[in-house]
Amino acid sequence: MLRFTEEHEWLKIEGDTAVVGITSHAAEQLGDLVFVELPAVGASFSKGDNAATVESVKAASDVYCPLDGEIVAVNEAITADPSLVNSAPQGDGWFFKLKLKNPADADGLLDDAAYKELVG
């Protein structure tokens, strides 16, 4: 199941774990990324907490935790090569995997159609 936030994060949810990244729209708005800071594995976040940071040639921006949960994996490849986020934001450019505290909370996020309407 794929879900989106109004802050331009995407979640690919499988069971009680979500792979999280930023959307293609967000990557385009940011421009070429030059730095990514990821959360620590084992860190717990609440929905809306700043979980990661990205810097582009234009600006720095926060990546928010889309739901309550614990970080169970991070994508070290994007810290070594931030351009992966630009080239494949919803693929190899994922940020972290989140073990969801309450998977049903994902029902409150945007589906594909609602997100497309948001970015119109």
Side-chain angles (χ1 to χ4, degrees):
M1 173 171 61
L2 199 58
R3 290 287 182 256
F4 301 88
T5 70
E6 292 182 8
E7 293 77 30
H8 309 291
E9 288 90 23
W10 59 265
L11 299 82
K12 183 178 179 187
I13 302 167
E14 297 168 348
D16 66 352
T17 303
V19 178
V20 179
I22 63 171
T23 64
S24 300
H25 176 80
E28 288 169 17
Q29 296 298 310
L30 287 166
D32 293 336
L33 295 186
V34 295
F35 176 77
V36 176
E37 182 179 88
L38 295 170
V41 171
S44 291
F45 292 98
S46 295
K47 179 179 180 178
D49 286 353
N50 175 12
T53 303
V54 293
E55 290 182 17
S56 71
V57 291
K58 294 181 184 178
S61 186
D62 294 328
V63 177
Y64 301 102
C65 194
L67 294 171
D68 296 351
E70 178 184 337
I71 305 297
V72 293
V74 294
N75 185 1
E76 297 289 353
I78 65 171
T79 58
D81 184 5
S83 71
L84 281 173
V85 177
N86 295 110
S87 61
Q90 291 176 235
D92 290 341
W94 61 276
F95 279 66
F96 53 85
K97 293 184 181 179
L98 185 69
K99 183 171 176 47
L100 301 174
K101 185 174 179 181
N102 185 359
D105 289 348
D107 294 342
L109 299 175
L110 304 172
D111 63 14
D112 191 49
Y115 183 73
K116 284 180 178 167
E117 190 174 306
L118 175 74
V119 296

